Amino acid sequence: MVSGVNEEPTPSAGRGGTPLWRHVRDDLRGRLAQGEFVDSFPGENELAARYGVSRHTIRAALRELREEGLVTAARGRRQRPVGEAGIEQPLGALYSLFASVEAAGLEQRSIVRTLDVRADAHVAVRLGMEESTPLLYLERIRLADGEPLAHDKVWLLAADARALLDADFGHTGLYDELADRCGIRLVGGEERIHAVVPTPAERRLLDLPEGVAAFSIQRLGRTHGRTVEWRTTLIRADRFSVLAQFDARAGYRLDPAGSRFTGPARSGRRLDAVR
């Protein structure tokens, strides 16, 4: 039986003519609502053994739960409850997504889509430079344990970061390479995080199930006295959460929208965080 259950397994024939997969679906739905699968969700073989049914029956039940937005899984991967975000970003602290993915016991990999030098007037202005300033552009799909986690696009001043053209970003952190190859360490910045409904193209890119939202993250990264990075990241909300600490005296530090942050007119929280 599923963990924590003492009843007999679901019988091999449906009660009152009800298909077996519905019995399994309803039981799993109830257990999900009770928060039973916080640590892990059983695989198909385990569920089939515990319920005493075929894998075909289990797949039918899981398909219903996916359509209801209760569980999710990438192709070839085990199901997990929607909202089970295994990777946390602490607010107000220097932060590495690369390190946090591996700290969660997941393998960090990236698919590099683009790495080149180009001009982008819009980004150059954000960095406080002339519109024609050469920029190093890196675009990656960030993977955690082989599953898409985030679509990451970063621009750095080419004068600072041209040596990164020789780096292999398949399994390395950007900021580690920036420090080792270019002698630049980010010490702070400003970041805005807000929830979005991904477009169909973005869902395909991140293998994101229908009904699951994403976080849009915009960041200006700074070293001592100057801005060196502009980054936009779309990250799956079912795998990522934001953690804040507060106390009665300090509370949260909030800034009005637009305060030194040249972005959309939305309210946001300032933080010194890098990834």
Side-chain angles (χ1 to χ4, degrees):
M1 292 299 296
V2 176
S3 176
V5 183
N6 295 320
E7 310 96 276
E8 290 300 315
T10 302
S12 58
R15 294 187 294 271
T18 303
L20 284 175
W21 64 264
R22 289 187 181 175
H23 291 296
V24 175
R25 177 203 62 189
D26 293 346
D27 189 67
L28 288 173
R29 184 195 287 146
R31 300 186 188 289
L32 285 164
Q34 295 168 13
E36 184 171 324
F37 304 115
V38 173
D39 296 327
S40 64
F41 194 87
E44 289 182 2
N45 289 334
E46 184 178 351
L47 288 172
R50 291 182 177 184
Y51 280 98
V53 297
S54 68
R55 288 184 64 186
H56 176 78
T57 298
I58 295 299
R59 287 170 183 165
L62 293 176
R63 182 167 56 248
E64 288 284 310
L65 294 175
R66 286 195 301 271
E67 291 176 358
E68 293 175 17
L70 297 178
V71 299
T72 181
R75 288 184 294 271
R77 292 284 173 173
R78 175 177 287 218
Q79 315 288 324
R80 66 178 179 276
V82 169
E84 181 189 282
I87 301 161
E88 289 185 339
Q89 171 172 334
L91 293 178
L94 292 175
Y95 176 74
S96 167
L97 180 62
F98 182 94
S100 292
V101 169
E102 297 204 328
L106 306 173
E107 182 187 30
Q108 154 70 43
R109 293 283 177 182
S110 293
I111 300 172
V112 177
R113 304 188 80 201
T114 307
L115 176 59
D116 62 19
V117 173
R118 61 179 63 185
D120 188 304
H122 180 68
V123 174
V125 170
R126 288 185 181 274
L127 295 174
M129 306 299 291
E130 294 292 332
E131 295 182 353
S132 60
T133 302
L135 304 171
L136 184 136
Y137 174 65
L138 171 62
E139 180 180 353
R140 294 172 291 172
I141 302 297
R142 311 290 294 273
L143 307 177
D145 229 19
E147 296 183 44
L149 172 65
H151 181 206
D152 195 44
K153 295 185 285 187
V154 59
W155 293 261
L156 302 159
L157 297 176
D160 291 333
R162 194 176 294 272
L164 296 182
L165 290 171
D166 296 327
D168 177 7
F169 287 104
H171 184 62
T172 189
L174 171 62
Y175 294 144
D176 288 341
E177 293 291 336
L178 187 63
D180 292 344
R181 294 173 181 265
C182 308
I184 296 175
R185 294 185 182 276
L186 270 70
V187 297
E190 300 171 12
E191 187 170 82
R192 174 173 288 121
I193 304 173
H194 62 278
V196 298
V197 177
T199 66
E202 290 168 338
R203 288 192 182 283
R204 289 192 295 271
L205 200 59
L206 294 179
D207 201 13
L208 194 60
E210 193 71 28
V212 177
F215 288 113
S216 174
I217 303 175
Q218 299 172 321
R219 169 181 298 162
L220 283 172
R222 294 191 174 94
T223 188
H224 301 283
R226 64 189 182 95
T227 302
V228 295
E229 175 201 37
W230 170 251
R231 183 192 295 248
T232 63
T233 303
L234 186 72
I235 189 164
R236 294 178 55 142
D238 62 336
R239 306 197 68 195
F240 177 84
S241 63
V242 178
L243 176 66
Q245 295 183 346
F246 63 94
D247 60 54
R249 289 193 299 176
Y252 291 97
R253 184 175 68 179
L254 299 176
D255 282 353
S259 175
R260 294 202 300 147
F261 190 102
T262 311
R266 302 173 185 261
S267 60
R269 180 180 292 122
R270 264 190 57 203
L271 63 153
D272 294 323
V274 295
R275 173 167 77 244

